[in-house]
Amino acid sequence: MTFWDGFYDFGVKLLKIIYLNFLWLFFSATGLFVFGIFPATIALFTITRQFLLNIEKPITKTFWEVYKTEWLRGNGYAVISYIIVLILAIDFYAIYMVDSLSFLLIPTFIIAFLIFGTLFFFFPVYVHFDLAFLAIIKQAFLFTVTSPFTVILNALCIILIYGIFNIMPGAIPLFAGSVLSWFVMKFSLRSFKKIEQRKVSEAVT
């Protein structure tokens, strides 16, 4: 591959990432974000997974079909997530306001790590495995427990991306969701592969 071929290939991938981010923002806004963010993010991770696994499918058509198909189910997960995050926020607020509850800070941080780790793995698990409603949450939680380093990598990526967008806020509508989904999906696929290889080796022995 020549330099110009590589440059062209990079340009095409960059345009796809920008376009994918636009679709994510548009369809999230279509559901007023509260009801659009989960189905749009499921569609976003579906296509990101296809990029990483070199699966060629039309972006717009695939995004719309996934968004439409997963709208109701995705919002079921959204409601559960909103309630859990709200309870967690109330707990942190109570600990902050009441000094006698300070001993609960470390356990609450551990719970928060498990919750957000499960959320990191939720979308990759959702689009990579064919699982029932509650099984997806259970599997995402198990990956959080068995792959804490991946959760830390995802958190560091969020901090890094947040820092970059703080310096260049104009890049947010171009890359915010698609770039983050790329990192999260890539790290998750690596964890999935390690777990699968471990199962195979255990089965052989």
Side-chain angles (χ1 to χ4, degrees):
M1 180 183 290
T2 66
F3 169 79
W4 291 112
D5 289 335
F7 184 77
Y8 174 79
D9 186 56
F10 173 78
V12 170
K13 289 180 179 178
L14 185 63
L15 287 175
K16 285 182 178 180
I17 289 173
I18 293 172
Y19 181 60
L20 183 57
N21 198 73
F22 165 77
L23 289 175
W24 176 67
L25 289 173
F26 176 78
F27 281 98
S28 294
T30 301
L32 301 177
F33 289 100
V34 175
F35 298 108
I37 189 72
F38 261 66
T41 304
I42 290 169
L44 170 68
F45 272 86
T46 298
I47 297 175
T48 302
R49 175 181 176 273
Q50 291 174 3
F51 285 168
L52 291 169
L53 297 179
N54 296 315
I55 300 172
E56 292 291 334
K57 287 187 177 181
I59 296 176
T60 308
K61 182 182 178 182
T62 302
F63 198 105
W64 166 241
E65 287 178 350
V66 173
Y67 180 85
K68 181 177 56 175
T69 303
E70 302 296 338
W71 194 90
L72 187 60
R73 193 183 192 209
N75 277 303
Y77 289 113
V79 171
I80 295 172
S81 300
Y82 296 153
I83 292 172
I84 292 173
V85 171
L86 178 61
I87 293 172
L88 188 63
I90 292 171
D91 288 343
F92 273 114
Y93 180 75
I95 292 170
Y96 176 76
M97 294 299 293
V98 183
D99 291 337
S100 60
L101 295 177
S102 58
F103 71 96
L104 293 174
L105 187 60
I106 293 178
T108 306
F109 266 117
I110 294 173
I111 293 171
F113 177 85
L114 293 173
I115 289 173
F116 285 106
T118 301
L119 192 58
F120 280 137
F121 273 114
F122 170 80
F123 293 105
V125 167
Y126 194 108
V127 303
H128 191 71
F129 300 100
D130 184 17
L131 298 172
F133 190 91
L134 293 177
I136 292 175
I137 299 175
K138 177 184 175 182
Q139 196 63 47
F141 176 78
L142 290 175
F143 275 118
T144 300
V145 174
T146 57
S147 306
F149 184 63
T150 300
V151 178
I152 295 171
L153 279 176
N154 286 328
L156 290 174
C157 283
I158 288 179
I159 294 170
L160 177 62
I161 292 170
Y162 174 79
I164 293 172
F165 288 153
N166 228 12
I167 299 171
M168 299 183 297
I172 293 175
L174 299 178
F175 302 107
S178 56
V179 168
L180 182 58
S181 72
W182 190 89
F183 280 109
V184 172
M185 193 73 229
K186 187 173 181 64
F187 293 146
S188 297
L189 286 173
R190 191 179 302 170
S191 294
F192 298 162
K193 188 175 181 180
K194 286 181 180 178
I195 296 295
E196 288 168 2
Q197 289 174 343
R198 191 182 307 164
K199 287 181 178 179
V200 169
S201 62
E202 288 175 356
V204 171
T205 56

